[in-house]
Amino acid sequence: MPTYTKKDFPVANVRRFLEPGPIVLVSSAHKGETNIMTMGWHMIMEFTPSLIGCCISAANHSFAMVRGSRQCVINVPTVDLAAKVVKIGNSSGRDIDKFAEFGLTPASGTHVRAPLIDECYANFECQLVDSSWIKKYNVFVFEVVKAHVATAPKYPKTIHYRGDGEFMASGENTSRYRKLFKPQML
Ligand SMILES: Cc1cc2nc3c(=O)[nH]c(=O)nc-3n(C[C@H](O)[C@H](O)[C@H](O)COP(=O)(O)O)c2cc1C
């Protein structure tokens, strides 16, 4: 077992260890306009229905678009899109058309009007089901109503943000501990 020497750590930075991955792209459509934002602050809230909590800053253009349309698509990019993911996060749909600017392809979904990003490994069509946390926490609770996932590779190289400009690309996979799980926890 490892032993560690520890020091006081700024509480505002503990997110660097807990932040859920992967970094995703949230696409939206509202009043004839489409947009994309980069998002790291998301949380699984339930299996069935499939609920995901997403923290979207009220300062973002996406906030008004998602709140107005009550829909979005959560797209999962891989490491080959990392530079675009950062640039999307560094710009606002108020100023540019991010699909055109970053050469991404909008595709139609089946359940929501928000566009899927074709170049992403997975696309989850989402419907807003609880808006009660938006005012207090900027948290939107979405239900995934349709999921599109690439058939290969089995383990996409997703990117996970460590803060301070550093990403971790997903790495080694192991099933070594699978036998320790209760079946209902898999
Ligand atoms: C790695 C990364 C993670 C981010 N995570 C979030 C997040 O979880 N929530 C959020 O509101 N903004 C987040 N941002 C910032 C938004 O992506 C950024 O403000 C975006 O440009 C908003 O675009 P919009 O004004 O077109 O909506 C993140 C940016 C980066 C680069």
Side-chain angles (χ1 to χ4, degrees):
M1 296 266 261
T3 55
Y4 300 104
T5 304
K6 294 182 188 157
K7 60 175 186 179
D8 280 349
F9 190 81
V11 292
N13 290 341
V14 299
R15 68 179 181 84
R16 293 182 183 177
F17 303 96
L18 298 176
E19 221 163 26
I23 289 293
V24 298
L25 295 173
V26 175
S27 48
S28 51
H30 191 48
K31 294 189 172 165
E33 193 188 342
T34 60
N35 195 24
I36 316 173
M37 69 164 268
T38 304
M39 181 176 73
W41 291 4
H42 53 81
M43 174 179 62
I44 308 300
M45 296 179 67
E46 183 54 279
F47 289 101
T48 309
S50 173
L51 299 184
I52 304 182
C54 297
C55 185
I56 300 178
S57 163
N60 290 348
H61 192 48
S62 300
F63 179 93
M65 292 186 64
V66 172
R67 193 171 58 171
S69 62
R70 300 181 66 83
Q71 297 179 340
C72 75
V73 177
I74 295 177
N75 306 270
V76 181
T78 46
V79 69
D80 44 298
L81 288 178
K84 291 187 190 215
V85 166
V86 175
K87 288 178 189 169
I88 288 166
N90 278 343
S91 55
S92 178
R94 269 186 212 97
D95 311 316
I96 54 168
D97 173 346
K98 296 196 203 180
F99 276 98
E101 181 80 18
F102 301 115
L104 295 168
T105 315
S108 297
T110 53
H111 287 57
V112 301
R113 282 187 308 282
L116 281 55
I117 302 174
D118 224 17
E119 288 78 4
C120 287
Y121 179 86
N123 318 96
F124 307 141
E125 298 185 39
C126 295
Q127 192 74 52
L128 183 65
V129 289
D130 189 345
S131 53
S132 63
W133 285 0
I134 297 176
K135 196 157 184 241
K136 191 167 182 189
Y137 297 113
N138 293 337
V139 169
F140 294 69
V141 180
F142 294 113
E143 178 178 349
V144 179
V145 290
K146 179 78 182 173
H148 313 259
V149 178
T151 51
K154 184 174 180 189
Y155 299 116
K157 269 224 170 297
T158 49
I159 49 175
H160 305 250
Y161 193 50
R162 286 189 178 282
D164 201 28
E166 267 187 59
F167 283 115
M168 174 181 70
S170 62
E172 193 191 340
N173 298 284
T174 178
S175 313
R176 200 178 307 150
Y177 308 102
R178 198 167 197 275
K179 58 183 177 298
L180 304 176
F181 279 78
K182 290 180 185 167
Q184 67 269 29
M185 303 299 284
L186 286 172

